[in-house]
Amino acid sequence: MPPYQAFPGAFPRTRIHLALLGLADEIVGAMAGLFAYVGTLALLAILGLAALGQLPGLRDDEPAIRPGWNVADRSHPAFAVSRLDSNHKTDAYIILRHPEGGRKDVIRWVGDTPVPVAELEIYRPGGEFAPAARLPADMAARMGLGAATRLEEAGVIDSKFGPVALYGPSGQASGCLGYVKRIEEPSLQISGWSCQGDTFEGDTLPGRRAAIVCTLNRLTLLTSGNEPKLAELFAHAELKRRPCGPPASVDWLMGAGNAQLRGAL
């Protein structure tokens, strides 16, 4: 049997092979650690961007949109309107709140069908309010009209809150009437619409005007919360309230059609 020294290159080749294997293991381990480190950094960056609401795929280069109006189920009604007619009943009382402080109390009425025939909204603005807008942006939609429907002035009525501007679909002599009354102090906007007439005039344009006057005159405050000026406003308005009645009781200057004086003075 030949001595071991007959294979002088066996040990060097084995040592080189083992060294290469060790080096490969170290490289694989280092790469795995590097990938894990980079992956951790990427995950932290994604979580940070998501928390700030600035992920490019979500924001589309636009500022983050804050939530809009939400139904406040736990809030209590602050207003009430006595029943206008035995044929109409209150369908819903909805309270909406805005993250920037606004509150809307919305009252709707229905007639013989589930479709609402009138609506009243009392809006106490917060930071979201746009005072430059003459009409609420959703007025046409609230009246059951298309969002692109144009509204035009349809006269003025008198109520316990003072003069109230009326609006109707452009180019239509009849139909539902919308109305808006803004009060500066305290900041308050009363708006709504009516497709119903009153008991005396029936379902006519003068009847709808009279029904709106009656609705506003019957609007009462249940609670003012921490707003003493709101309570003062309704207390003063109540002194000017007139009962709903036949057309003869309507102010002759602010009546059915805002008619001009007839005949020579």
Side-chain angles (χ1 to χ4, degrees), residues 122-138:
I122 304 96
Y123 174 26
R124 285 177 278 179
E128 77 290 339
F129 183 56
R134 185 183 61 172
L135 283 173
D138 60 347

Side-chain angles (χ1 to χ4, degrees), residues 69-86:
W69 293 96
N70 298 304
V71 177
D73 293 326
R74 298 184 179 181
S75 299
H76 298 287
F79 306 91
V81 178
S82 58
R83 182 173 295 182
L84 304 179
D85 191 298
S86 59

Side-chain angles (χ1 to χ4, degrees), residues 128-189:
E128 77 290 339
F129 183 56
R134 185 183 61 172
L135 283 173
D138 60 347
M139 175 62 80
R142 286 166 54 189
M143 295 172 65
L145 305 172
T149 302
R150 182 179 177 183
L151 300 178
E152 62 182 10
E153 296 181 358
V156 180
I157 55 175
D158 191 23
S159 73
K160 69 178 184 180
F161 299 102
V164 178
L166 297 178
Y167 297 88
S170 179
Q172 298 183 21
S174 62
C176 301
L177 285 178
Y179 57 93
V180 178
K181 173 65 178 180
R182 285 186 178 174
I183 300 171
E184 297 295 332
E185 190 66 29
S187 183
L188 188 72
Q189 178 176 279

